[in-house]
Amino acid sequence: MSELKQKLAKLRHAPIADPILQLSVEAPSLPVLSWLAAQTLYPRIYWHGRDKVEEVAAIGACKDFYFHDQINDDDLARLYQSQRNKSNGQDIRYYGGLAFDRTVECWDEFGRARFVLPRIEIRRHGNKLRILLNLDFEGKDPSQECDAALADLQQLQKPLPLTPPSKLSLMGRSDLPNYPRWQELVEQVTQQQFNQATPKVVLSRQTQLEVSGNIDPWTVLACWQGRNPNSFQFGFQFSPERAFISCSPERLYLRRQQELYTEALAGTTTRGLNTEEDNQLAKQLLEDTKNSHENQLVREHIVDSLSSLSQYVGAEETPKIFKLNHIQHLHRAIRAQLHSGVNDFDLLKALHPTPAVGGLPRQSALSFIRQREGYARGWYAGACGYLNHYESEFSVAIRSALIEPNRVNLFAGAGIVAGSDPQAEWQELENKLATILSILIDF
């Protein structure tokens, strides 16, 4: 920290080259999530990639772009492009997310879209750890911005052990929609006349748990991380009252300059009690007509959506099995070489929401969800990640929880296609919540 403060002191007497600057120092290893949980600055942001190479904790806001009301992708793209032009820093990132449906009102604090350039970041890449300090000199007195950054640095706390995990007492549970309404919705989607025009709708459910006791979102996320290590793990806490955390298996996309990596993740079954049973369930999933059709619809849509943006798009012809703790999915990898000039908001517009969380065709499926599902999804099934000039990555925020005082809101969805059975799809929701429920609740 003293090295970072020395760099900040030198900056006071140097000419300011860019409106946005980033200072960086190497640091000794520390437990990143424990460090984040000990801090008092908000927002508090956590990002851990599915490849396990990089882990990030960020606090405070150097710049904060919050959109409570509707904003379109073109306006977001112009805003981000203007920010990119204010710095030559290759490591500058804006962390945040987009709601599932930005045409409807979203959760307070999170908005329909929100992206933050943090004040302070800790980034661990393999065994190397760096502390980054971001400064915004645009329209400000440079000495005042340096003073503000120094004040934030002086608020830093040493990492403390995470709150020991403990089971919560369940005081009440409500599901929205409830099972009778769920059955009605599945029957509506699978009606032949509706299904011919809209072959897939992803219906979801909000499970609201009333609990006794304080909930530390970072302890919950750490436990979840331990159960599903081959997932993305991320969290956004814009105030002490609310935190959105996710342990999602699904990548929306990874962009490295003009190289794009994405995937079709759809079709689900449970895990077996032993290796033989697990392999048998995986084999049945690969051979299951309903699930294979669902995954193929997602693959075709993503390839079609990327075709006009890309020189080349390639997708695996046959699905593979992607295993998690309690469930396993069908998965196809997709890669594209983007045309020059394609930006992240072109990709977000094309890919989000995917058919794996919305349905097909997109607009008719979204209209059905908007009118009939009965609750606001907010950032559940939204796109969460970071924007950077050279590399950007977003995950689809499934397997997620919105944590509030004495309340946990859990979310799960299921793809409804011709032949879907309401009871089987309801059980799929329960299977998807099994891991987080086992962490939270003392049954």
Side-chain angles (χ1 to χ4, degrees):
M1 297 314 300
S2 60
E3 185 183 349
L4 199 53
K5 290 174 183 176
Q6 287 172 12
K7 285 193 173 189
L8 190 58
K10 288 180 181 178
L11 194 61
R12 291 178 184 274
H13 308 293
I16 303 303
D18 293 325
I20 297 173
L21 284 177
Q22 185 178 75
L23 303 179
S24 172
V25 297
E26 291 188 4
S29 181
L30 56 75
V32 174
L33 200 50
S34 297
W35 177 87
L36 181 65
Q39 303 311 309
T40 56
L41 276 180
Y42 289 87
R44 299 195 285 186
I45 297 167
Y46 181 76
W47 175 263
H48 193 183
R50 194 173 67 185
D51 58 13
K52 307 181 187 70
V53 172
E54 184 178 70
E55 184 180 23
V56 180
I59 58 170
C62 177
K63 294 183 82 79
D64 189 349
F65 300 96
Y66 169 66
F67 303 98
H68 180 270
D69 300 317
Q70 193 168 347
I71 184 169
N72 67 45
D73 294 297
D74 294 333
D75 290 338
L76 282 170
R78 281 190 290 271
L79 177 62
Y80 177 56
Q81 186 61 45
S82 72
Q83 292 303 305
R84 276 176 41 169
N85 293 338
K86 291 170 184 172
S87 175
N88 292 314
Q90 296 186 13
D91 282 337
I92 288 176
R93 291 183 184 175
Y94 296 79
Y95 297 89
L98 306 175
F100 168 77
D101 184 352
R102 281 166 288 145
T103 69
V104 300
E105 193 170 341
C106 192
W107 307 331
D108 288 340
E109 304 168 39
F110 293 84
R112 304 186 193 205
R114 189 167 185 176
F115 286 91
V116 173
L117 174 63
R119 173 65 83 192
I120 301 162
E121 294 179 60
I122 285 187
R123 288 192 205 165
R124 179 189 61 78
H125 193 87
N127 296 321
K128 293 185 178 180
L129 192 124
R130 289 186 301 151
I131 303 174
L132 306 173
L133 179 70
N134 295 311
L135 299 108
D136 173 25
F137 293 110
E138 187 177 22
K140 298 178 182 178
D141 179 270
S143 63
Q144 290 181 351
E145 176 65 358
C146 288
D147 287 341
L150 181 61
D152 288 342
L153 282 174
Q154 289 172 338
Q155 290 189 54
L156 290 182
Q157 308 294 315
K158 292 181 179 180
L160 297 170
L162 288 170
T163 306
S166 61
K167 303 284 187 176
L168 301 165
S169 297
L170 182 62
M171 312 302 289
R173 169 177 168 164
S174 60
D175 293 313
L176 191 66
N178 60 21
Y179 181 73
R181 176 60 177 160
W182 173 265
Q183 187 172 9
E184 288 176 15
L185 293 174
V186 173
E187 289 170 354
Q188 289 171 19
V189 172
T190 54
Q191 282 178 356
Q192 186 176 5
Q193 186 174 357
F194 179 90
N195 192 255
Q196 283 178 340
T198 309
K200 178 179 180 181
V201 176
V202 181
L203 296 176
S204 72
R205 185 186 75 194
Q206 178 186 41
T207 296
Q208 196 168 84
L209 308 177
E210 304 294 337
V211 296
S212 64
N214 295 322
I215 310 160
D216 183 339
W218 308 113
T219 295
V220 175
L221 186 57
C223 293
W224 211 349
Q225 191 178 62
R227 303 282 184 91
N228 279 333
N230 56 339
S231 291
F232 292 93
Q233 296 111 25
F234 53 90
F236 294 87
Q237 188 175 21
F238 295 108
S239 75
E241 286 73 38
R242 269 182 164 181
F244 178 67
I245 61 173
S246 179
C247 195
S248 171
E250 186 170 356
R251 169 178 282 149
L252 182 63
Y253 72 84
L254 167 65
R255 177 189 61 80
R256 290 190 175 124
Q257 296 192 337
Q258 301 310 115
E259 287 283 327
L260 183 81
Y261 304 89
T262 183
E263 61 197 21
L265 189 76
T268 307
T269 191
T270 56
R271 296 293 305 272
L273 296 176
N274 53 54
T275 302
E276 184 180 356
E277 184 182 359
D278 198 53
N279 291 337
Q280 182 62 30
L281 286 166
K283 183 173 181 291
Q284 290 172 359
L285 180 61
L286 288 166
E287 295 172 350
D288 182 80
T289 305
K290 179 259 181 188
N291 281 291
S292 295
H293 176 60
E294 183 183 347
N295 189 274
Q296 179 67 10
L297 286 175
V298 175
R299 172 194 177 275
E300 289 173 356
H301 174 82
I302 292 173
V303 170
D304 289 346
S305 299
L306 289 173
S307 294
S308 63
L309 303 175
S310 309
Q311 301 173 37
Y312 160 84
V313 184
E316 290 182 326
E317 288 296 328
T318 57
K320 297 176 181 176
I321 294 295
F322 189 94
K323 293 181 183 289
L324 295 168
N325 191 273
H326 282 92
I327 56 178
Q328 41 195 333
H329 296 289
L330 292 179
H331 175 277
R332 281 180 169 97
I334 300 169
R335 188 178 71 83
Q337 179 70 32
L338 300 172
H339 290 307
S340 177
V342 171
N343 64 52
D344 286 294
F345 289 96
D346 295 325
L347 296 172
L348 289 167
K349 186 191 299 185
L351 296 175
H352 172 63
T354 71
V357 294
L360 283 170
R362 180 191 281 179
Q363 291 309 318
S364 61
L366 291 182
S367 178
F368 185 92
I369 292 167
R370 197 176 292 135
Q371 296 172 25
R372 314 270 179 107
E373 199 168 59
Y375 79 98
R377 289 191 183 187
W379 280 26
Y380 161 65
C384 291
Y386 64 87
L387 297 161
N388 172 268
H389 184 78
Y390 294 93
E391 176 181 287
S392 298
E393 186 166 29
F394 283 85
S395 173
V396 182
I398 55 176
R399 314 292 189 276
S400 54
L402 177 66
I403 296 175
E404 302 173 293
N406 302 115
R407 177 181 295 162
V408 183
N409 304 279
L410 304 177
F411 308 93
I416 309 304
V417 296
S420 290
D421 173 66
Q423 182 62 52
E425 302 296 346
W426 185 264
Q427 184 57 49
E428 182 175 317
L429 303 183
E430 293 297 312
N431 294 341
K432 288 174 176 175
L433 294 185
T435 299
I436 185 62
L437 282 171
S438 70
I439 292 167
L440 289 169
I441 302 301
D442 184 14
F443 290 100

